[in-house]
């Protein structure tokens, strides 16, 4: 595992706290185990960044003894105790507890540095074997108690007998926790009639048995490729749909299990305040003809539009798109550094050039000043388009566009702001995403088609 400097830890914490990066993404970037990063985040949240200034030092016997007693007698979680004490990592306390058991339940401050090489070769094998056996009757009783407890829980947690794989996993964990031999653990559990029994040969057979997902190697490779092709935007449901489109019969539960095993997770949702163009009543308000019945059975019957803003390095970029209520494609869009009327008028002209037969179309927006402008309303009327507006303060009345903005920003903007050096780069990224959204991103609501594929399906049916 990569050793992190103080500045690395601060950078990782800031990316997680303020830029929305997940612990898995940061672990991949810095080569650090995810659980260690989660502990680092909790440690800084509890003690502040000052905790990183603590220089490594030896803890006193009394300090260690109090910490260990909190584990053994206070029934407190080791992770929580480590956080309370401000220990640098969650493994420190585990090491203290292990050495405490090895040293006959006495806290000893071991000298640091390498042991003398003289005579080491003769004693290593004997010492390692001795450490594999509980030293006193008290320690043996403690080990037996822990074994009874762990193995007994396997039977209590289910109405049926535990599987051999579960018993083997528990035995392996007990070996590591208690530092005892396999024979000792198996002898203890096999001496109790009410515990599930396991032979030594069966233990090693199950331990070395091939991974059950070895036969799924090809499908796991394809899942990972789809995940990377779509830049981590697909969760298990959408990946299942894509596999089924390719003729692979697979259940979404299996895809979810395999993705979890490979630590592949979709992008987390982050919501931020939206841009509002409402300035009070500045023109003629239109009735709400949609009434949240967003879906249309044919293309070019219901269109939706709104304006959203992107903040980057103290500057703003405004996006104004039109979405079709049937295919959910982005019919046309414009980008501008200022929210001006020309932006929405150019958007309309682009859409009309693409689909000129618009008689009977309902065009729905919120009550933004652009949509109340006489020039905008006259253009719609002259092209046979009926205007519809959301009620004041009811953003859900324009829910289809709000949903698109949420998807867009979650999948290519939130958490990725640092990757864009200028508004020009951001503008290019938005253009590429909208092309991807229309032609490559499948939607379950469109029967696992992309918006453009669904348009062709609908038109071919009629």
């Amino acid at each position: 595992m990569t050793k992190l400097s103080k500045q690395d830890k601060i950078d990782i914490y800031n990316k997680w706290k303020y830029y929305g990066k997940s612990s898995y993404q940061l672990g991949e970037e810095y080569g650090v185990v995810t659980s260690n990063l989660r502990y680092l985040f909790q440690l800084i949240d509890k003690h502040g960044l000052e905790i990183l200034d603590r220089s490594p030092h030896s803890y006193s016997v009394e300090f260690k003894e109090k910490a260990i007693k909190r584990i053994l007698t206070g029934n407190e979680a080791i992770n929580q105790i480590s956080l309370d004490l401000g220990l640098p990592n969650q493994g420190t306390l585990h090491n203290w507890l292990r050495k405490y058991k090895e040293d006959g339940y006495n806290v000893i401050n071991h000298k640091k540095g390498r042991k003398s090489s003289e005579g080491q070769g003769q004693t290593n094998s004997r010492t390692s074997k001795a450490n594999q056996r509980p030293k006193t009757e008290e320690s043996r009783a403690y080990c037996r108690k822990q074994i009874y407890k762990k193995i007994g829980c396997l039977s209590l947690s289910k109405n049926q007998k535990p599987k051999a794989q579960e018993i083997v996993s528990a035995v392996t964990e007990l070996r590591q926790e208690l530092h005892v031999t396999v024979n000792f653990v198996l002898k203890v559990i096999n001496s109790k009639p009410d515990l599930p029994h396991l032979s030594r040969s069966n233990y090693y057979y199950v331990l070395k048995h091939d991974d059950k997902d070895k036969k799924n190697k090809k499908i796991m490779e394809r899942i990972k490729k789809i995940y990377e092709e779509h830049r981590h935007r697909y969760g298990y449901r959408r990946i299942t749909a894509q596999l089924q489109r390719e003729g692979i019969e697979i259940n979404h539960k299996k895809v979810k299990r395999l993705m979890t095993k490979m630590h592949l997770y979709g992008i987390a949702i982050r919501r931020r305040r939206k841009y509002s163009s409402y300035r009070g009543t500045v023109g003629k308000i239109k009735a709400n003809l949609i009434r949240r019945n967003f879906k249309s059975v044919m293309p070019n019957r219901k269109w939706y539009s709104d304006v959203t803003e992107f903040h980057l390095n103290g500057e703003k970029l405004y996006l104004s798109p039109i979405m079709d209520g049937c295919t959910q494609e982005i019919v046309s869009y414009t980008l501008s550094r200022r929210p001006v009327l020309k932006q929405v008028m150019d958007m309309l002209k682009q859409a009309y050039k693409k689909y000129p037969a618009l008689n009977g179309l309902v065009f729905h927006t919120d009550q933004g000043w652009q949509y109340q402008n006489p020039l905008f309303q006259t253009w719609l009327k002259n092209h046979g388009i009926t205007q519809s507006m959301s009620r004041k303060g009811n953003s859900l009345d324009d829910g289809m566009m709000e949903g698109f903005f949420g998807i867009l920003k979650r999948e290519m903007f939130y958490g990725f702001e640092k990757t864009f050096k200028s508004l020009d780069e951001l503008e290019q990224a938005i253009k590429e995403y909208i092309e991807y959204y229309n032609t490559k991103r499948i939607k379950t609501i469109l029967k696992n088609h992309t918006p453009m594929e669904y348009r062709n399906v609908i038109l071919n049916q009629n």
Side-chain angles (χ1 to χ4, degrees):
M1 188 184 74
T2 306
K3 187 172 178 64
L4 300 175
S5 66
K6 176 187 173 184
Q7 189 57 50
D8 286 336
K9 293 177 181 178
I10 293 173
D11 291 341
I12 290 172
Y13 179 80
N14 288 336
K15 287 180 181 179
W16 170 78
K17 187 78 171 178
Y18 304 110
Y19 297 108
K21 284 206 169 185
S22 68
S23 55
Y24 171 74
Q25 290 172 323
L26 292 168
E28 289 285 305
E29 182 178 346
Y30 286 85
V32 182
V33 178
T34 305
S35 59
N36 291 347
L37 288 184
R38 293 197 189 104
Y39 179 84
L40 174 67
F41 301 151
Q42 291 175 316
L43 188 68
I44 296 175
D45 280 341
K46 188 174 184 64
H47 298 280
L49 290 172
E50 299 78 21
I51 195 69
L52 303 179
D53 293 324
R54 281 191 182 179
S55 58
H57 60 280
S58 298
Y59 297 90
S60 66
V61 172
E62 293 76 15
F63 184 92
K64 293 180 179 179
E65 193 168 26
K66 286 181 181 179
I68 292 169
K69 283 184 177 179
R70 286 178 65 178
I71 301 171
L72 299 178
T73 61
N75 293 322
E76 295 182 73
I78 293 181
N79 188 62
Q80 188 57 51
I81 297 172
S82 298
L83 286 172
D84 290 343
L85 299 176
L87 299 180
N89 59 71
Q90 53 191 346
T92 302
L93 197 46
H94 281 282
N95 290 335
W96 291 354
L97 184 61
R98 175 177 57 80
K99 290 178 181 178
Y100 176 73
K101 294 172 182 177
E102 289 177 358
D103 293 322
Y105 296 85
N106 292 307
V107 177
I108 299 174
N109 264 349
H110 295 274
K111 292 181 180 180
K112 293 186 177 181
R114 293 185 177 181
K115 294 180 180 180
S116 172
S117 59
E118 185 179 352
Q120 188 175 355
Q122 299 174 359
T123 58
N124 271 351
S125 59
R126 285 178 293 175
T127 305
S128 61
K129 289 179 181 178
N131 285 338
Q132 287 284 311
R133 297 192 297 270
K135 296 178 182 298
T136 64
E137 183 54 41
E138 183 185 3
S139 63
R140 285 194 289 272
Y142 172 81
C143 291
R144 281 193 289 268
K145 182 180 178 182
Q146 294 301 110
I147 294 169
Y148 293 151
K149 183 178 179 181
K150 193 174 190 73
I151 302 299
C153 286
L154 296 178
S155 301
L156 293 174
S157 60
K158 299 178 180 179
N159 294 326
Q160 57 187 8
K161 287 185 177 181
K163 296 179 180 178
Q165 182 63 51
E166 295 174 324
I167 303 172
V168 168
S169 297
V171 171
T172 303
E173 290 174 11
L174 286 165
R175 287 181 60 194
Q176 296 169 349
E177 291 172 7
L178 303 175
H179 300 278
V180 293
T181 62
V182 174
N183 289 342
F184 180 84
V185 179
L186 294 178
K187 184 178 179 180
V188 171
I189 65 174
N190 291 336
S191 66
K192 294 279 287 185
D194 55 333
L195 292 180
H197 291 190
L198 185 72
S199 68
R200 188 173 184 273
S201 59
N202 207 12
Y203 169 80
Y204 283 108
Y205 173 79
V206 175
L207 192 66
K208 295 178 181 179
H209 198 268
D210 287 343
D211 185 354
K212 69 174 182 178
D213 284 325
K214 188 175 181 179
K215 61 183 179 182
N216 295 320
K217 185 178 179 181
K218 288 186 177 180
I219 195 70
M220 290 170 74
E221 289 175 354
R222 183 58 189 145
I223 287 172
K224 190 170 184 179
K225 189 172 182 181
I226 295 171
Y227 182 76
E228 295 298 336
E229 283 176 355
H230 291 270
R231 301 183 184 181
H232 306 185
R233 293 165 180 159
Y234 273 18
Y236 71 91
R237 290 186 181 88
R238 212 177 301 274
I239 288 183
T240 303
Q242 180 60 40
L243 292 171
Q244 291 172 348
R245 278 165 56 94
E246 297 172 6
I248 300 173
E249 292 297 326
I250 190 168
N251 186 278
H252 69 280
K253 294 180 181 178
K254 183 175 181 178
V255 174
K256 183 179 181 181
R257 178 177 64 79
L258 295 176
M259 288 183 68
T260 301
K261 183 171 184 175
M262 293 186 288
H263 304 289
L264 306 180
Y265 305 101
I267 298 173
I269 297 174
R270 288 174 59 86
R271 301 190 183 277
R272 302 187 185 180
R273 189 181 69 85
K274 68 180 286 290
Y275 164 75
S276 175
S277 61
Y278 181 73
R279 296 180 182 173
T281 304
V282 296
K284 187 176 180 181
I285 305 297
K286 302 295 182 178
N288 181 8
L289 304 179
I290 296 296
R291 297 179 183 177
R292 302 188 187 178
N293 182 21
F294 303 114
K295 188 67 178 171
S296 172
V297 294
M298 287 293 293
N300 301 340
R301 294 293 183 269
K302 295 178 182 179
W303 280 2
Y304 303 90
S305 186
D306 199 354
V307 177
T308 190
E309 66 181 5
F310 296 81
H311 294 253
L312 184 69
N313 301 329
E315 297 180 290
K316 294 180 182 179
L317 182 67
Y318 296 87
L319 169 66
S320 177
I322 294 175
M323 173 178 275
D324 188 276
C326 174
T327 65
Q328 297 190 18
E329 68 177 290
I330 301 303
V331 177
S332 69
Y333 66 93
T334 51
L335 290 156
S336 174
R337 305 299 165 91
R338 293 186 298 118
V340 293
L341 181 62
K342 184 178 184 302
Q343 180 181 17
V344 296
M345 297 305 297
D346 289 346
M347 172 192 69
L348 286 176
K349 293 171 185 176
Q350 286 180 22
Y352 180 71
K353 186 176 181 180
K354 189 174 183 180
Y355 302 121
L358 299 178
N359 285 330
L361 169 69
V362 176
F363 194 96
H364 184 80
T365 65
D366 61 12
Q367 294 187 19
W369 63 269
Q370 302 98 322
Y371 315 121
Q372 297 185 50
N373 189 282
L375 186 63
F376 181 88
Q377 295 183 341
T378 301
W379 193 96
L380 294 182
K381 186 177 180 181
N382 291 341
H383 289 79
I385 300 171
T386 304
Q387 188 176 10
S388 171
M389 280 188 175
S390 303
R391 295 166 295 171
K392 178 183 176 182
N394 283 270
S395 59
L396 293 178
D397 285 353
D398 199 19
M400 185 163 279
M401 278 310 312
E402 297 290 345
F404 169 72
F405 289 149
I407 293 170
L408 168 71
K409 293 186 177 182
R410 182 176 74 243
E411 294 190 353
M412 60 76 56
F413 185 65
Y414 293 151
F416 305 101
E417 292 94 331
K418 293 291 183 181
T419 63
F420 306 115
K421 297 178 182 178
S422 65
L423 287 183
D424 290 335
E425 288 190 9
L426 174 59
E427 190 170 331
Q428 183 60 33
I430 293 172
K431 291 178 181 178
E432 291 174 359
Y433 180 84
I434 292 178
E435 175 68 18
Y436 160 80
Y437 178 87
N438 277 342
T439 61
K440 295 182 179 179
R441 187 184 187 277
I442 62 174
K443 296 173 74 72
T444 54
I445 199 171
L446 301 180
K447 300 179 181 179
N448 296 332
H449 290 95
T450 68
M452 295 308 297
E453 286 175 348
Y454 193 67
R455 171 178 279 272
N456 294 332
V457 169
I458 294 296
L459 293 178
N460 290 334
Q461 288 176 352
N462 295 278

